[in-house]
Amino acid sequence: MAQLLEAAMLVCFGISWPMNAYKAYRARTAKGTSLAFILLILFGYFCGITAKLLTGTINYVLAVYFLNVFTVCLNLLVYFRNKALDRRAAGAAVPARMRHKTAAA
């Protein structure tokens, strides 16, 4: 029963990550997204995976952990893509004459 409840918890968390990645991808900005939060979630999943491996409870729940890690990694990729888009947009917002003065300084 404990494994079923753990899997249910992971599925509930896991459903939110693809939705978050899609929303962030469509938003095309990293504003409002925390890299530290994403990395903390990944660390938590890796701790859960390590606990499963150390206790020898290798079962279907472990597969759910790996699926969640995959979807959080997708969020990480979208974050870095959006960060690059933000940088590009910030560079395009600076007028050309200002870019030359900044580069010369």
Side-chain angles (χ1 to χ4, degrees):
M1 183 61 157
Q3 292 172 358
L4 184 61
L5 292 171
E6 183 180 14
M9 180 265 309
L10 289 169
V11 167
C12 289
F13 285 147
I15 289 170
S16 64
W17 287 111
M19 294 181 341
N20 188 63
Y22 178 73
K23 180 181 170 189
Y25 183 83
R26 298 249 344 210
R28 299 180 62 84
T29 182
K31 292 180 177 110
T33 304
S34 170
L35 177 60
F37 179 75
I38 295 172
L39 294 176
L40 188 61
I41 294 296
L42 277 175
F43 178 73
Y45 282 137
F46 285 127
C47 287
I49 290 168
T50 302
K52 289 285 187 196
L53 295 175
L54 290 176
T55 59
T57 51
I58 299 171
N59 54 24
Y60 65 93
V61 177
L62 190 59
V64 181
Y65 272 106
F66 281 113
L67 182 61
N68 284 1
V69 166
F70 175 75
T71 59
V72 175
C73 285
L74 286 177
N75 275 268
L76 199 56
L77 292 173
V78 171
Y79 171 83
F80 286 118
R81 169 221 181 227
N82 286 350
K83 254 330 217 190
L85 291 174
D86 288 344
R87 279 192 300 276
R88 193 176 311 144
V94 177
R97 65 178 185 273
M98 295 299 290
R99 278 188 246 142
H100 294 295
K101 288 180 183 178
T102 307

